Amino acid sequence: MHKTLEWHGSIDGSLDLLDQRLLPNEVVRLECTTVPRLIDAIKTLAVRGAPAIGVAAGFGLVLALQNVQPNINTAIRELARAKKELAASRPTAVNLFYALDRVNTAACQFTSQCPTASINQLREIVLAQAQAIYDEDVEMCRRIGQNGAPLIPDGGAVLTHCNAGALATAGQGTALSLLYEAARQGKRFRVYVDETRPLLQGARLTAWECKQAGLDAVLICDNMAGSLMKAGKINAVLTGADRIAANGDTANKIGTYSLSVLAKYHAIPFYIAAPSSTFDLSIASGTQIPIEERSPAEVTAFAGKTIAPTDIAVYNPAFDVTDAANISAIITERGIINDPDSDNIRLHLA
Amino acid sequence: MHKTLEWHGSIDGSLDLLDQRLLPNEVVRLECTTVPRLIDAIKTLAVRGAPAIGVAAGFGLVLALQNVQPNINTAIRELARAKKELAASRPTAVNLFYALDRVNTAACQFTSQCPTASINQLREIVLAQAQAIYDEDVEMCRRIGQNGAPLIPDGGAVLTHCNAGALATAGQGTALSLLYEAARQGKRFRVYVDETRPLLQGARLTAWECKQAGLDAVLICDNMAGSLMKAGKINAVLTGADRIAANGDTANKIGTYSLSVLAKYHAIPFYIAAPSSTFDLSIASGTQIPIEERSPAEVTAFAGKTIAPTDIAVYNPAFDVTDAANISAIITERGIINDPDSDNIRLHLA
């Protein structure tokens, strides 16, 4: 299996990414040696998926200290600057802010506790913290899968949207981790994969990942999900999440909300699988989650070919918000939150 | 405005089509001089849209008689053969069968009434009947638009899917005709255009057509409709139809059913605009409508570029069926059928 991202070497090393812009046609690795290169990789979706973006950003703070003057105060300022720049690379995923805060806080605590520490000692702390986030992500993925695998219907079919798989994390994914664990347990099921316009993460990434893992995967266009549900061919819908508000409202790839309504209408369970770091308890509900709008060209052009009139207006939000009321359960590394609301989410995270 | 299709010349003439496979990048006309060429044009969607396919097929029977031996019996056999071949070109749209039946019946009636008629007299009858279908289609479009224009919300926004416009008919369209008439009446509104995967008839055709007509059109991906509805930005959904069963169940472009569920959930009216020839009273409900499945390559490749693993399984139905219960009204050239069901449809068509 191709690793989605990996730190190579010591504090002087680099972040090695699988370039997801080129999948499934080419498997090419991208070496990030500077913060600007990493920001570009995040913005252009060479690395994507909320957990993977968080892990990558943690290592980004290691990169931030590689060419800094050997002065602790300068280093701390440089970290703060890099943190701010990295945080601005994608506005919706909360894991990004979580990872940056965690690494930065560890660095600040270290320098205040050890004011005479060397710059290299600080860099070791930053790398260790970034690597810890990576390792925890791998473990988190495994646990999400184990917690949620019982929800996968043996002999049935699951619909997934976008890519919440190994390609979106350092480990074996969030939503897809349930499928990998269920398959390991001997369950047989089909995975319907939404192609996920406009950037086709389902067709390009999830279909590729599912085939690599030997799953029975069938690709569909996003607008076909409803008719499959009506035909009784889908037994569960399963997606990841980019941010979850305190009340359970969940931001995820555009199209997720529509699927949640269709699932509700057809009495099909709708599951979100995400690490507990995806919760943002600072916001009460989904209306407060900022939604990134991306370039019209993502919709109007494809593979260098224009597919719409060049002067047409376009609305291209990257995410939408699914009401907690439409979510049957949220699966985290800690367990399952059934019928999520503010109370049981607070209990789950306590 | 570019004509979607037009017969050029006399009984020895040809069918001139706007090649919709090349829009919006190139405006190229395609001259069909034989039945096989027309069948290829229908199958590959150079001409598409249920009413336009019907009109084109009518002229196809004129082409069928162009190189036939000057013998009435041979001609009638040739007509039957061409009718069968043309009917097999697309299985879902009922207008195709309607037009073929009508032209063929006129030819058979003529020859039984005038057994000594010349082959050229028969060919004139066939051309006249095909041209009558064309002329009626133009008038039908205008009337549908006039009947439905009062439903277009002044100051609001309408979502449409696929292309039920001038490009789908000989006239000014079915669903889009309502918009053209409403605009003529001075109403101001926005049109959200679903791109309509996999063949992007919305992005390529409806967006182009709306821009040509000067409408305020905004292109979206199919999976964005739900979040726009949730945000209160859509006041009506309006599509065409390929076949309507006796109870009002409606086959239309894949994705229409999902939109009908989303509209119902958000209490947004959902309208179908189609000529009365779209009704197929021989079938009681939508479950009996055959749904064409098309090539996986339509989903896995785009503009010659592979966008999914080459070995991935694909489900690619061209249409789905929307339950009559999800349809607020069907607009035909005869008027409006509110809350369509078997009874009021029978009354409307009587």
Side-chain angles (χ1 to χ4, degrees):
Chain A
M1 196 70 186
H2 302 279
K3 289 221 171 178
T4 298
L5 76 171
E6 198 170 25
W7 182 260
H8 277 180
S10 65
I11 53 174
D12 292 316
S14 61
L15 182 60
D16 177 61
L17 303 173
L18 175 58
D19 189 342
Q20 300 191 31
R21 295 168 298 192
L22 304 175
L23 289 176
N25 297 311
E26 295 176 58
V27 178
V28 173
R29 313 246 7 140
L30 184 72
E31 193 190 1
C32 284
T33 52
T34 66
V35 173
R37 283 195 71 166
L38 176 58
I39 288 174
D40 183 63
I42 293 173
K43 281 189 174 171
T44 61
L45 312 189
V47 59
R48 28 70 51 202
I53 291 171
V55 172
F59 288 118
L61 295 185
V62 185
L63 297 176
L65 296 184
Q66 283 182 339
N67 291 304
V68 79
Q69 285 190 331
N71 173 298
I72 289 289
N73 289 338
T74 311
I76 289 294
R77 274 201 303 277
E78 190 56 33
L79 273 185
R81 199 169 68 87
K83 175 179 176 243
K84 194 173 163 190
E85 284 172 8
L86 282 160
S89 61
R90 297 287 305 271
T92 302
V94 76
N95 317 56
L96 173 62
F97 316 133
Y98 166 83
L100 290 167
D101 276 339
R102 180 167 152 185
V103 175
N104 189 57
T105 300
C108 292
Q109 281 177 347
F110 174 73
T111 53
S112 68
Q113 282 161 12
C114 311
T116 60
S118 74
I119 178 84
N120 279 356
Q121 284 175 310
L122 174 63
R123 291 170 67 198
E124 292 287 358
I125 291 293
V126 168
L127 175 57
Q129 197 63 235
Q131 188 62 47
I133 293 174
Y134 179 101
D135 294 340
E136 288 166 26
D137 192 70
V138 172
E139 176 62 11
M140 170 277 291
C141 289
R142 203 182 52 78
R143 286 202 189 159
I144 288 177
Q146 289 173 340
N147 289 337
L151 300 173
I152 303 304
D154 198 9
V158 174
L159 172 68
T160 190
H161 188 68
C162 197
N163 176 268
L167 291 168
T169 63
Q172 67 184 25
T174 53
L176 296 193
S177 180
L178 275 67
L179 304 183
Y180 298 143
E181 289 295 334
R184 256 174 228 133
Q185 294 168 10
K187 282 188 179 175
R188 297 169 68 90
F189 52 87
R190 167 163 288 180
V191 194
Y192 283 103
V193 179
D194 261 359
E195 63 172 7
T196 316
R197 283 283 290 154
L199 293 179
L200 299 165
Q201 291 94 337
R204 295 189 302 108
L205 308 179
T206 301
W208 182 79
E209 192 180 321
C210 287
K211 288 301 286 182
Q212 293 244 324
L215 297 182
D216 170 18
V218 176
L219 179 63
I220 61 170
C221 297
D222 302 329
N223 64 25
M224 297 168 186
S227 74
L228 278 172
M229 291 184 188
K230 185 184 176 192
K233 292 195 175 159
I234 291 175
N235 306 98
V237 180
L238 174 62
T239 77
D242 288 79
R243 196 184 309 198
I244 308 176
N247 71 343
D249 289 353
T250 296
N252 191 48
K253 181 56 55 199
I254 185 72
T256 304
Y257 169 69
S258 288
L259 288 181
S260 79
V261 172
L262 290 167
K264 194 175 194 177
Y265 183 82
H266 295 91
I268 296 167
F270 182 89
Y271 302 124
I272 296 282
S276 56
S277 61
T278 314
F279 285 91
D280 182 355
L281 300 185
S282 76
I283 55 175
S285 79
T287 55
Q288 293 156 264
I289 300 177
I291 298 298
E292 175 185 5
E293 278 197 47
R294 296 181 60 89
S295 162
E298 290 184 350
V299 177
T300 57
F302 191 85
K305 175 149 175 160
T306 302
I307 58 174
T310 46
D311 55 348
I312 191 81
V314 175
Y315 173 61
N316 182 24
F319 304 95
D320 57 28
V321 174
T322 296
D323 308 88
N326 290 3
I327 301 171
S328 310
I330 299 175
I331 301 98
T332 80
E333 74 283 7
R334 299 178 178 213
I336 297 179
I337 312 171
N338 286 304
D339 304 319
D341 61 22
S342 300
D343 288 342
N344 56 26
I345 287 171
R346 208 173 44 241
L347 272 172
H348 182 86
L349 298 177
Chain B
M1 194 71 186
H2 302 278
K3 287 222 172 176
T4 297
L5 76 171
E6 199 170 24
W7 182 260
H8 277 180
S10 64
I11 53 173
D12 293 315
S14 61
L15 182 60
D16 176 61
L17 302 172
L18 175 59
D19 189 343
Q20 301 192 30
R21 297 168 298 192
L22 303 175
L23 289 176
N25 298 311
E26 294 175 59
V27 178
V28 172
R29 315 259 347 153
L30 184 71
E31 193 190 1
C32 285
T33 53
T34 66
V35 173
R37 285 195 71 165
L38 175 58
I39 288 175
D40 184 64
I42 293 173
K43 281 189 173 170
T44 61
L45 313 189
V47 60
R48 29 66 54 201
I53 291 172
V55 172
F59 289 119
L61 295 185
V62 185
L63 297 176
L65 295 184
Q66 283 184 337
N67 292 303
V68 80
Q69 288 189 327
N71 173 299
I72 288 290
N73 288 338
T74 311
I76 289 295
R77 275 201 303 276
E78 190 56 32
L79 272 185
R81 200 170 68 86
K83 176 181 176 238
K84 196 173 163 190
E85 286 172 7
L86 282 160
S89 62
R90 298 287 306 270
T92 302
V94 76
N95 317 55
L96 173 61
F97 315 133
Y98 167 84
L100 290 168
D101 276 340
R102 179 168 153 185
V103 176
N104 189 56
T105 301
C108 292
Q109 282 177 345
F110 174 72
T111 53
S112 68
Q113 284 162 9
C114 311
T116 60
S118 73
I119 179 84
N120 278 355
Q121 283 175 309
L122 174 63
R123 292 171 65 198
E124 294 287 358
I125 291 292
V126 168
L127 176 57
Q129 197 63 236
Q131 188 62 48
I133 294 174
Y134 179 102
D135 294 340
E136 288 167 26
D137 192 71
V138 172
E139 176 63 11
M140 170 277 292
C141 289
R142 204 182 52 76
R143 286 203 187 159
I144 288 177
Q146 288 173 340
N147 289 337
L151 300 172
I152 303 304
D154 198 9
V158 174
L159 172 68
T160 191
H161 188 68
C162 197
N163 176 267
L167 291 168
T169 62
Q172 68 184 23
T174 53
L176 297 192
S177 179
L178 274 68
L179 304 183
Y180 299 141
E181 288 295 332
R184 256 175 230 132
Q185 293 167 9
K187 283 188 179 175
R188 297 169 68 91
F189 52 87
R190 167 165 287 181
V191 193
Y192 283 103
V193 178
D194 261 359
E195 64 173 7
T196 317
R197 283 284 289 156
L199 293 178
L200 299 164
Q201 291 92 337
R204 295 188 302 109
L205 308 180
T206 301
W208 182 78
E209 192 181 322
C210 286
K211 288 301 286 185
Q212 293 243 325
L215 297 183
D216 169 18
V218 177
L219 179 64
I220 62 169
C221 297
D222 302 328
N223 64 25
M224 297 169 185
S227 75
L228 278 172
M229 290 183 189
K230 185 183 175 189
K233 292 195 175 159
I234 291 175
N235 306 97
V237 180
L238 175 61
T239 78
D242 288 80
R243 197 185 309 198
I244 308 176
N247 72 342
D249 290 352
T250 296
N252 191 48
K253 181 56 55 198
I254 185 72
T256 304
Y257 170 70
S258 289
L259 288 180
S260 79
V261 172
L262 290 166
K264 194 175 192 177
Y265 184 83
H266 295 92
I268 296 167
F270 181 89
Y271 303 124
I272 297 282
S276 56
S277 61
T278 313
F279 286 90
D280 181 355
L281 300 185
S282 76
I283 54 175
S285 78
T287 56
Q288 294 157 262
I289 301 177
I291 298 297
E292 175 185 5
E293 279 197 46
R294 295 181 62 87
S295 163
E298 290 185 350
V299 177
T300 57
F302 191 83
K305 176 151 175 159
T306 301
I307 57 174
T310 45
D311 56 349
I312 191 79
V314 174
Y315 174 63
N316 182 25
F319 304 94
D320 57 26
V321 174
T322 296
D323 308 88
N326 290 3
I327 301 169
S328 310
I330 299 175
I331 301 97
T332 80
E333 76 281 8
R334 299 178 178 211
I336 297 179
I337 312 171
N338 286 304
D339 303 319
D341 61 22
S342 300
D343 288 342
N344 56 27
I345 287 171
R346 209 174 42 242
L347 271 173
H348 181 87
L349 297 178

